[in-house]
Amino acid sequence: MTKTLHRVAVIGGGTMGAGIAEVAASAGHSVLLYDISAEAITRAIEGIRQRLDVRVGRGKISAEQAIELLARIVPATELNQLADAQLVIEAASERLEIKKALFSQLAEICLPSTLLTSNTSSISITAIAAGVKHPERVAGLHFFNPAPVMKLVEVVSGLATSTEVVELLFQCVIAWGKQPVRCRSTPGFIVNRVARPYYAEAWRALEEQVASAEVIDAALRDGGGFPMGPLALTDLIGQDVNFAVTCSVFNAFWQDRRFLPSLLQQELALAGRLGKKRGHGVYCWPAEVSPELAVAAVAPENAAKNIKRDVVTELDDVLLLETTGETALALSVQHQRPVVLYDHAVGDTVVLASAPTNPASATDKAVYYFQQQGKKVLRIADYPGLLVWRTVAMLANEALDALQKGVASAEDIDIAMRLGVNYPHGPLAWGESLGWGRVLRLLENLQQHYGEERYRPSALLRQKVLMEMRHE
């Protein structure tokens, strides 16, 4: 338990509020749990009790420890009861006007030294603090769901937040067994901003009928190494919630097309197909996702002969190339021969796309070539940048833009994306390992193909490419 923040108040008896209260109580704090609804508090405490019972049953904690933890959580039905709190964490409705009114009341009720924080995932901390007495003590403490399990906490500074307050919160989060990262109050903070392309590129591929939802998810999960496919993940988050966050970031960035929401996702939200919580979203739940794998029934003759272990692999008359953001058709026309493109792969699954002018035997040779290496093969329509490469490039580009604009340090951006959404690598480390020149080339080809600002490379990406060239 931190030395200076003994008494913690949590506002909101929902999932996040209850989870945060459990985290603070687990660290030894006396916790006041406030909600305008007494029933909400009762449900929250009962939910905590049930989770603790499970942990006791698994031998994670003793029954005595569970009883002591619950005893440290005290219900509060009047805001005035929070007057002695040294740290307040608000996890109420995601509406600015409600938060502003609440923080103004807290500033009057609590001592000037009380730290006032919000668990908001997207609302400006600067806006919440505006008009609050002593705004230097207002900050963001953004936990991730479920709060008792997820390690990451974004410590968010508004314009007025003092460095001393940030450091105190940072140390408090560490004492709670969590991993804090510092970030500036900008739309989406780190995770909800940098993660947008993970969803957006999947929705675009589905809208353009490049492949089924199952294949798109399998490509990112089994080929890219992500813990869950993006479309299944939006079903788990809730289509309404994920769509609302995308719209919030899109509008906050003055409708920058990098964050363009999906019309298909909007349709699901309007239809009430919100995902797992409603039993139907992109998938029917419980989902049985089994992507169709491409199988070459008969090994094409001479398929693996004349292979060059180079950037270009030749399978007889077929060129097998890693995608650089151009279509297989464009490259086939350029080289005047069949072309098959393959995606970036970190697992045992590889994604292939063939020029539509290819004979079937050309694709069979490519499939067999990868199957000989023990790879599973997913085939999609001819699509520039395929699925994994373009997603990773967009994530790295967005992370660079956040870094250049001072949202957070490179280290904290990568930590946030690994711990907040469980990416296999931080996007900056991933981009560097793939080569910034390759990332730039892919994005420039995508921008040329679509004629859209969505794929514009960041200025910092161009600078990094020049630095790479200087050291070659």
Side-chain angles (χ1 to χ4, degrees):
M1 186 172 67
T2 55
K3 295 180 180 180
T4 56
L5 303 174
H6 300 287
R7 194 172 297 104
V8 175
V10 177
I11 297 176
T15 301
M16 289 306 299
I20 294 167
E22 182 181 337
V23 169
S26 297
H29 294 269
S30 172
V31 180
L32 289 164
L33 180 57
Y34 168 83
D35 197 287
I36 56 173
S37 166
E39 291 181 3
I41 299 174
T42 300
R43 285 195 302 269
I45 293 176
E46 180 56 31
I48 295 170
R49 179 180 287 106
Q50 290 174 7
R51 287 195 296 273
L52 292 175
D53 286 344
V54 171
R55 294 182 66 194
V56 170
R58 292 176 177 172
K60 300 293 184 181
I61 60 172
S62 67
E64 292 75 15
Q65 287 174 314
I67 292 170
E68 290 172 2
L69 192 156
L70 278 170
R72 287 194 288 270
I73 301 175
V74 179
T77 54
E78 299 290 336
L79 208 58
N80 288 335
Q81 292 175 260
L82 312 187
D84 294 333
Q86 293 156 318
L87 169 63
V88 178
I89 306 172
E90 172 270 323
S93 174
E94 281 288 272
R95 291 170 58 187
L96 176 59
E97 63 274 17
I98 290 176
K99 292 184 188 296
K100 283 179 67 70
L102 188 56
F103 273 67
S104 292
Q105 285 180 276
L106 289 169
E108 296 293 337
I109 293 168
C110 300
L111 296 171
S113 59
T114 302
L115 305 189
L116 306 178
T117 68
S118 175
N119 182 57
T120 181
S121 61
S122 59
I123 295 176
S124 165
I125 298 301
T126 298
I128 293 173
V132 173
K133 287 183 179 179
H134 306 290
E136 69 278 358
R137 52 162 166 180
V138 178
L141 274 183
H142 181 213
F143 290 76
F144 288 76
N145 192 27
V149 176
M150 298 296 283
K151 288 289 187 183
L152 184 70
V153 179
E154 292 178 319
V155 181
V156 188
S157 301
L159 277 179
T161 310
S162 73
T163 55
E164 292 79 10
V165 165
V166 170
E167 186 58 31
L168 188 56
L169 292 172
F170 197 88
Q171 295 305 321
C172 178
V173 170
I174 290 174
W176 290 0
K178 302 296 184 182
Q179 174 63 63
V181 291
R182 298 177 178 86
C183 64
R184 190 162 55 83
S185 181
T186 59
F189 309 143
I190 301 173
V191 173
N192 277 326
R193 172 185 179 167
V194 177
R196 292 340 305 155
Y198 187 62
Y199 311 110
E201 292 307 309
W203 285 114
R204 182 161 207 166
L206 192 61
E207 288 171 345
E208 295 188 14
Q209 303 183 69
V210 172
S212 67
E214 291 87 350
V215 169
I216 293 168
D217 276 348
L220 274 297
R221 183 187 66 239
D222 303 331
F226 291 92
M228 181 178 284
L231 298 173
L233 183 54
T234 59
D235 264 359
L236 189 64
I237 294 168
Q239 297 301 339
D240 53 340
V241 175
N242 186 259
F243 181 68
V245 172
T246 300
C247 289
S248 174
V249 173
F250 177 61
N251 289 319
F253 277 100
W254 310 116
Q255 303 188 340
D256 189 320
R257 288 186 67 84
R258 284 181 301 158
F259 307 106
L260 185 69
S262 163
L263 288 173
L264 183 54
Q265 187 177 30
Q266 179 179 247
E267 285 291 285
L268 290 176
L270 290 173
R273 297 184 178 183
L274 306 182
K276 187 176 181 180
K277 61 187 175 184
R278 292 286 181 87
H280 195 184
V282 175
Y283 301 103
C284 291
W285 291 85
E288 295 181 2
V289 180
S290 54
E292 298 177 5
L293 299 180
V295 177
V298 180
E301 189 177 357
N302 299 323
K305 291 184 178 179
N306 304 319
I307 295 173
K308 295 180 181 178
R309 300 296 180 184
D310 203 346
V311 175
V312 178
T313 301
E314 294 188 70
L315 306 174
D316 298 327
D317 60 329
V318 181
L319 282 180
L320 182 60
L321 309 171
E322 186 175 26
T323 182
T324 57
E326 298 173 277
T327 62
L329 179 59
L331 292 169
S332 181
V333 170
Q334 177 185 333
H335 294 288
Q336 291 298 296
R337 57 194 294 190
V339 171
V340 178
L341 297 176
Y342 63 93
D343 210 342
H344 171 58
V346 299
D348 63 354
T349 298
V350 64
V351 179
L352 298 184
S354 299
T357 53
N358 284 0
S361 60
T363 306
D364 288 342
K365 290 176 182 179
V367 170
Y368 184 64
Y369 169 75
F370 282 107
Q371 288 180 334
Q372 278 188 315
Q373 301 174 43
K375 300 286 187 182
K376 298 176 183 177
V377 178
L378 293 171
R379 288 174 55 183
I380 67 172
D382 190 13
Y383 193 53
L386 300 187
L387 296 172
V388 180
W389 235 122
R390 69 192 279 161
T391 299
V392 173
M394 287 290 281
L395 289 170
N397 192 51
E398 192 57 46
L400 284 173
D401 192 63
L403 175 62
Q404 185 173 31
K405 292 174 180 172
V407 173
S409 69
E411 180 184 10
D412 278 354
I413 289 171
D414 274 358
I415 289 172
M417 301 314 293
R418 284 192 294 104
L419 297 184
V421 278
N422 294 319
Y423 286 177
H425 310 284
L428 296 172
W430 208 344
E432 185 172 6
S433 68
L434 290 171
W436 293 120
R438 298 171 73 202
V439 173
L440 176 62
R441 181 183 178 189
L442 188 132
L443 290 174
E444 286 181 331
N445 283 333
L446 287 176
Q447 190 176 22
Q448 183 176 0
H449 177 85
Y450 288 104
E452 292 180 15
E453 282 289 290
R454 175 183 180 126
Y455 298 102
R456 69 183 184 274
S458 74
L460 185 54
L461 173 57
R462 296 188 184 279
Q463 181 185 353
K464 284 189 172 292
V465 172
L466 291 172
M467 295 292 287
E468 274 185 345
M469 293 170 62
R470 182 171 176 269
H471 288 97
E472 286 179 354

